[in-house]
Amino acid sequence: MRPTTIPAICAISAFLAFGIASASAETIATTRYVYYPISGRTAAELYNAMMKRGPHVDGDEAYAATSATTSQQGQLVSGESCHIQNYAVKMDFTIRLPRLQKSPLLSAADRKRYDQFYAFLRHHEETHRSIWLDCAAAVAAKQSKLTGKTCSVVEAKSEKLWTDMRKSCSLKHQAFDAKEHQRLLQQPLVRYVLGKATTATKGAKAP
């Protein structure tokens, strides 16, 4: 999640791994949470700490980020026709979020603003994960039904299904981010910090 826009930030790397036995058509997922420390005496200091210590997405500063590595598993089985047996998608997610360290001088109001913002960030990243999992489940159902005269034909069909899924899923992430942008701007922490910055700028005298 970036400061001014909320992009689709799940970076997926994928490869075909046919010939590896797995469970029946399904999605297998793991999630690892990684935290970067922040602290401060005010809401503005917490905000600046997130900008300084937070992850980078496509070279831009971000509050939080989700990445994933993905692989497909299954066996190409040839007979009168070819099909994929025991197809599965494996997805390993890493969600990076801020973690507030001891900040005894932080007011109760600013702590509440931060807690609300953290909850928003976590829900946002976990929704990106859910979108990918839904996409993976849909493609797994289609992959397990593929058939062809030869296994080369099936593999080509499989690769196209995978490519099409990633494209359509990226559009879903973009649509989700577009809806979330206004919610980001309405977060109490963001409104408070950016609102004060705007007021200070308006009140400043020209040199």
Side-chain angles (χ1 to χ4, degrees):
M1 183 173 293
R2 293 174 183 167
T4 55
T5 60
I6 308 176
I9 54 181
C10 293
I12 301 293
S13 60
F15 60 93
L16 294 174
F18 292 130
I20 302 175
S22 67
S24 58
E26 62 179 334
T27 301
I28 304 166
T30 64
T31 303
R32 182 171 67 104
Y33 290 86
V34 177
Y35 300 92
Y36 64 92
I38 64 167
S39 62
R41 297 165 295 179
T42 64
E45 288 185 2
L46 295 183
Y47 184 90
N48 290 333
M50 284 187 280
M51 292 299 89
K52 181 179 179 181
R53 295 179 175 272
H56 285 72
V57 178
D58 296 330
D60 294 332
E61 295 172 330
Y63 306 114
T66 298
S67 62
T69 56
T70 306
S71 63
Q72 302 176 83
Q73 302 174 349
Q75 295 171 313
L76 288 167
V77 179
S78 181
E80 292 182 1
S81 63
C82 183
H83 66 280
I84 304 173
Q85 188 177 67
N86 299 329
Y87 181 87
V89 179
K90 187 173 186 299
M91 309 187 84
D92 297 308
F93 294 95
T94 299
I95 296 178
R96 187 169 173 81
L97 294 163
R99 170 167 283 171
L100 183 61
Q101 305 297 295
K102 289 184 178 179
S103 299
L105 299 181
L106 189 66
S107 70
D110 284 346
R111 175 61 191 255
K112 182 178 180 180
R113 292 185 182 101
Y114 168 78
D115 288 343
Q116 291 173 323
F117 191 52
Y118 174 84
F120 172 76
L121 292 177
R122 179 162 179 153
H123 182 264
H124 179 91
E125 301 308 323
E126 290 177 343
T127 301
H128 274 300
R129 179 186 60 186
S130 295
I131 291 171
W132 276 118
L133 289 173
D134 288 345
C135 293
V139 80
K142 293 178 181 179
Q143 296 276 19
S144 62
K145 296 177 182 178
L146 282 180
T147 60
K149 291 183 178 180
T150 67
C151 288
S152 295
V153 169
V154 173
E155 189 166 1
K157 289 180 179 180
S158 176
E159 290 177 354
K160 185 178 187 305
L161 274 178
W162 186 257
T163 299
D164 290 346
M165 179 276 287
R166 293 187 65 187
K167 289 179 180 178
S168 64
C169 205
S170 291
L171 293 177
K172 292 179 181 180
H173 285 292
Q174 292 172 22
F176 169 64
D177 286 332
K179 289 179 63 177
E180 285 281 274
H181 181 62
Q182 287 304 316
R183 290 190 64 229
L184 167 64
L185 296 179
Q186 293 303 314
Q187 289 303 302
L189 179 72
V190 175
R191 290 182 63 186
Y192 180 74
V193 173
L194 298 187
K196 291 191 69 173
T198 300
T199 301
T201 300
K202 288 181 178 179
K205 295 182 179 180

